[in-house]
Amino acid sequence: MTNVNHYTYRVTWSPEDNEHIGLVSEFPSLSWLASDQVDALLGIRTLVDNVVAEMQESGEEPPIPIADRNYS
């Protein structure tokens, strides 16, 4: 089971949207806009949690968190 807490999240400012944007490296197509940095982080984490749950329900394998990958 994938631990969504291990994904690589970040929050940055989006001048185009005039809001903070929450991003996650393992899902480059997902983002969350919010006026507050904390809300942007909470939003993207909730979105990822929902997407991973949907993937698992449909039998898809979510991406392995970067922090959990093994490199040789």
Side-chain angles (χ1 to χ4, degrees):
M1 176 164 264
T2 301
N3 187 339
V4 297
N5 292 323
H6 292 186
Y7 284 132
T8 307
Y9 299 96
R10 72 183 173 105
V11 174
T12 189
W13 178 252
S14 172
E16 295 122 19
D17 299 304
N18 200 34
E19 289 190 290
H20 296 279
I21 184 166
L23 303 165
V24 59
S25 296
E26 292 83 354
F27 289 92
S29 63
L30 299 181
S31 63
W32 190 271
L33 289 170
S35 60
D36 180 81
Q37 290 177 332
V38 173
D39 290 340
L41 179 59
L42 293 174
I44 190 65
R45 288 178 58 103
T46 300
L47 179 60
V48 168
D49 198 29
N50 292 337
V51 167
V52 167
E54 289 175 10
M55 290 178 78
Q56 291 172 333
E57 287 174 13
S58 69
E60 293 179 70
E61 189 65 35
I64 298 170
I66 293 169
D68 294 347
R69 294 179 187 171
N70 293 319
Y71 300 95
S72 47

